[in-house]
Amino acid sequence: IGSLVKPAIYLAGLEGQGKYSSLSERISDGPVTVKIGRNKYWQPGNYDQRDMGVVTVLQALALSRNTPAVRVGVEVGLDKVIKMLGDLGIQKDIPAYPSILLGALELTPFDVQQMYQTLAAGGSYSPLKSIRSVMNIANGKTLTRYPLTVQQVAKPESVDLLNFAMHQVTVSGTAKALTESLPEWKKVAGKTGTTNDKKDSWFAGYSGQHVMTVWVGRDDSKPTNMTGGTGALKVWADMM
């Protein structure tokens, strides 16, 4: 899912009592090295191979910088990031590999929709259902009803901060093209996602009562040569 995972990382930081509980906290955008075993190291880089020096948490998320996300995820703890993904609705076993901090994680659009639905609802988790009730159309009686359950899984004030940052993604960040394709009054929050080989192009976001996830890819797993911003974002904007 690429960078679609980053909101969960930063929300785990905002939820904690450490230094990443503020969007104004400054963090290095420079090279990062993570020890993954005896004499084994992982050295991820930024998508554009650039080093912006020191950025704020807000800038890091809005511009989808990789090395700051890895730094935050490692300092906050992989266990807390994985727990946050679970709380947001990802009902899958997630391996505790540092690479999940850059979205090396197989999820379906339905899985992603569940996660972003929880963010859109202010941190209230409600399982997505395609069927709410079954009726007998002959007499109009409800035969079976599937009740709506809601559970607060994140602090509303933390999600408010995150949603502000994700709105900046659509104003000055990797999804700023939305400012040209959507009406000015439509306030949108969301996140682009791109895999390294450009096999997957993602955009997930929300505005008002609408939450939508778009994935663009090929059924033969060949590269699309599209980023989240040049592929899925355009489909999302057209539908929204």
Side-chain angles (χ1 to χ4, degrees), residues 5-6 8-13 20 27 32 34 42 65-82 97-98 100-102:
V5 77
K6 289 175 181 173
I9 298 171
Y10 289 110
L11 183 55
Y20 298 118
I27 183 169
V32 62
V34 181
W42 178 51
R65 306 303 290 173
N66 286 347
T67 58
V70 171
R71 282 190 166 88
V72 173
V74 169
E75 288 194 43
V76 168
L78 283 178
D79 57 334
K80 289 185 173 62
V81 174
I82 291 170
Y97 300 139
I100 67 169
L101 299 174
L102 294 184

Side-chain angles (χ1 to χ4, degrees), residues 79-91:
D79 57 334
K80 289 185 173 62
V81 174
I82 291 170
K83 182 181 183 301
M84 179 58 68
L85 286 165
D87 289 344
L88 293 175
I90 305 302
Q91 304 297 321

Side-chain angles (χ1 to χ4, degrees), residues 3-236:
S3 292
L4 293 189
V5 77
K6 289 175 181 173
I9 298 171
Y10 289 110
L11 183 55
L14 291 169
E15 286 274 275
Q17 302 300 315
K19 63 180 180 180
Y20 298 118
S21 58
S22 167
L23 292 177
S24 61
E25 180 62 37
R26 297 169 71 79
I27 183 169
S28 172
D29 186 55
V32 62
T33 299
V34 181
K35 188 173 183 179
I36 57 174
R38 187 177 180 180
N39 298 322
K40 289 185 178 181
Y41 299 90
W42 178 51
Q43 296 178 306
N46 288 313
Y47 185 79
D48 59 4
Q49 303 302 315
R50 291 173 55 227
D51 174 0
M52 295 179 63
V54 176
V55 296
T56 63
V57 168
L58 175 60
Q59 291 171 317
L61 179 55
L63 298 174
S64 199
R65 306 303 290 173
N66 286 347
T67 58
V70 171
R71 282 190 166 88
V72 173
V74 169
E75 288 194 43
V76 168
L78 283 178
D79 57 334
K80 289 185 173 62
V81 174
I82 291 170
K83 182 181 183 301
M84 179 58 68
L85 286 165
D87 289 344
L88 293 175
I90 305 302
Q91 304 297 321
K92 291 188 173 182
D93 289 333
I94 300 173
Y97 300 139
S99 57
I100 67 169
L101 299 174
L102 294 184
L105 185 62
E106 291 272 346
L107 295 179
T108 68
F110 192 88
D111 293 329
V112 172
Q113 178 77 356
Q114 177 69 78
M115 171 180 165
Y116 279 76
Q117 158 66 29
T118 306
L119 296 176
S124 294
Y125 167 71
S126 181
L128 292 179
K129 291 182 173 67
S130 56
I131 300 174
R132 288 288 168 84
S133 61
V134 179
M135 293 181 66
N136 183 333
I137 59 172
N139 56 25
K141 290 185 177 181
T142 300
L143 302 177
T144 304
R145 187 181 300 279
Y146 300 92
L148 186 66
T149 59
V150 179
Q151 179 185 0
Q152 192 72 33
V153 296
K155 300 174 186 174
E157 56 269 30
S158 299
V159 181
D160 283 347
L161 286 173
L162 181 72
N163 284 342
F164 173 78
M166 290 175 66
H167 174 58
Q168 297 308 307
V169 172
T170 72
V171 173
S172 59
T174 55
K176 63 183 179 182
L178 288 177
T179 59
E180 299 174 2
S181 54
L182 293 180
E184 187 175 345
W185 55 264
K186 200 174 233 341
K187 302 300 182 184
V188 175
K191 188 72 192 73
T192 53
T194 311
T195 46
N196 284 343
D197 46 17
K198 291 187 179 178
K199 288 182 180 179
D200 303 277
S201 168
W202 291 91
F203 187 77
Y206 36 94
S207 174
Q209 295 182 343
H210 300 97
V211 188
M212 184 162 52
T213 298
V214 173
W215 168 79
V216 176
R218 293 171 57 106
D219 57 8
D220 61 4
S221 292
K222 290 182 179 178
T224 63
N225 292 319
M226 290 187 286
T227 64
T230 59
L233 180 68
K234 294 188 175 183
V235 178
W236 193 96

